[in-house]
Amino acid sequence: MDKNEYTSHIEKVLISEDEIKQAVAKAGKMIDDICDGRPVRLVSILKGAFIFLADLCRAVSVPCEIGFMAASSYYSGTESTGKVDITLDLSQDISKYHVIIVEDIIDTGRTLKDISDMLRKRSPLSLRIITLLDKPSRRTVDIKADYSLFTIPDVFVVGYGLDCGEYYRSLPYIAVYRE
Ligand code: IMP
Ligand code: MG
């Protein structure tokens, strides 16, 4: 795809770089407050949450460790296939840790439900969920984030880590994608 085609799919900016920055700073303080000086393990779900995690962990001042998991639910295009595969698991034991799952977006909720059920079985000291974006109107399973930075309508978005066919992750803002 060339540059013209690339930009032609950006309908409009939904959440600006500045709005994201402010919300991430606030989320970092909230994590500091709930951890109250104790270390936290931030578990990020690849790939969509990688930029959010990178900014969020630098907004936190309690001792913080990073872990990665990967799951695929969208294989291409903008519709969920409904099937969640855990393609990468944590390399660390979480049983003695306060864990926060860092997610890019909760759509149907299936990915997060599978991952949080799986991690809860490993008996972490506590397990919370923080998501950059929430699309509550699309939920098909019963799951809620403990903290959500932005609630958005039922539109397909890209940028700040979120992709369409692997493109647009590097945009510094969240934009509505046009087919
Ligand atoms: P869920 O399992 O349906 O909640 O889907 C979660 C995953 O689907 C997210 O982690 C994203 O990777 C992807 N996804 C859902 N909605 C969007 C969107 O609007 N843009 C880009 N990716 C999305
Ligand atoms: Mg994702």
Side-chain angles (χ1 to χ4, degrees):
M1 116 151 70
D2 64 18
K3 177 103 194 283
N4 280 343
E5 194 194 337
Y6 187 76
T7 47
S8 73
H9 289 292
I10 301 299
E11 191 166 303
K12 62 167 185 183
V13 175
L14 188 65
I15 307 166
S16 71
E17 201 175 344
D18 229 48
E19 289 173 291
I20 297 173
K21 242 180 219 154
Q22 287 178 27
V24 170
K26 216 170 120 191
K29 287 207 183 76
M30 187 270 311
I31 292 177
D32 282 346
D33 284 348
I34 59 177
C35 290
D36 195 24
R38 293 168 309 203
V40 65
R41 183 163 284 180
L42 300 178
V43 172
S44 167
I45 320 223
L46 293 171
K47 299 175 200 172
F50 82 110
I51 292 186
F52 178 38
L53 173 77
D55 284 343
L56 183 65
C57 71
R58 287 176 290 176
V60 164
S61 56
V62 290
C64 156
E65 287 181 60
I66 306 294
F68 291 106
M69 293 183 77
S72 39
S73 50
Y74 277 73
Y75 295 108
S76 63
T78 60
E79 270 308 301
S80 172
T81 59
K83 184 173 169 290
V84 177
D85 268 338
I86 309 286
T87 52
L88 173 76
D89 198 355
L90 285 177
S91 54
Q92 310 111 312
D93 168 44
I94 56 167
S95 65
K96 292 184 182 67
Y97 290 86
H98 292 284
V99 174
I100 301 179
I101 301 176
V102 179
E103 180 56 308
D104 55 352
I105 184 165
I106 313 180
D107 186 36
T108 65
R110 285 196 198 100
T111 313
L112 205 55
K113 176 94 174 69
D114 278 18
I115 289 184
S116 56
D117 285 352
M118 190 171 139
L119 294 187
R120 201 164 287 113
K121 284 189 195 127
R122 301 182 192 171
S123 315
L125 294 179
S126 67
L127 184 66
R128 290 187 172 84
I129 296 167
I130 182 167
T131 186
L132 174 69
L133 305 174
D134 190 6
K135 269 194 223 174
S137 61
R138 296 256 312 161
R139 205 75 91 249
T140 60
V141 297
D142 182 26
I143 186 137
K144 251 171 96 182
D146 296 279
Y147 194 85
S148 157
L149 277 63
F150 300 98
T151 299
I152 63 166
D154 182 12
V155 287
F156 195 82
V157 292
V158 293
Y160 199 71
L162 289 101
D163 74 309
C164 183
E166 291 301 325
Y167 282 123
Y168 303 104
R169 293 192 197 276
S170 56
L171 295 178
Y173 47 80
I174 305 279
V176 176
Y177 179 82
R178 184 192 306 140
E179 282 281 0

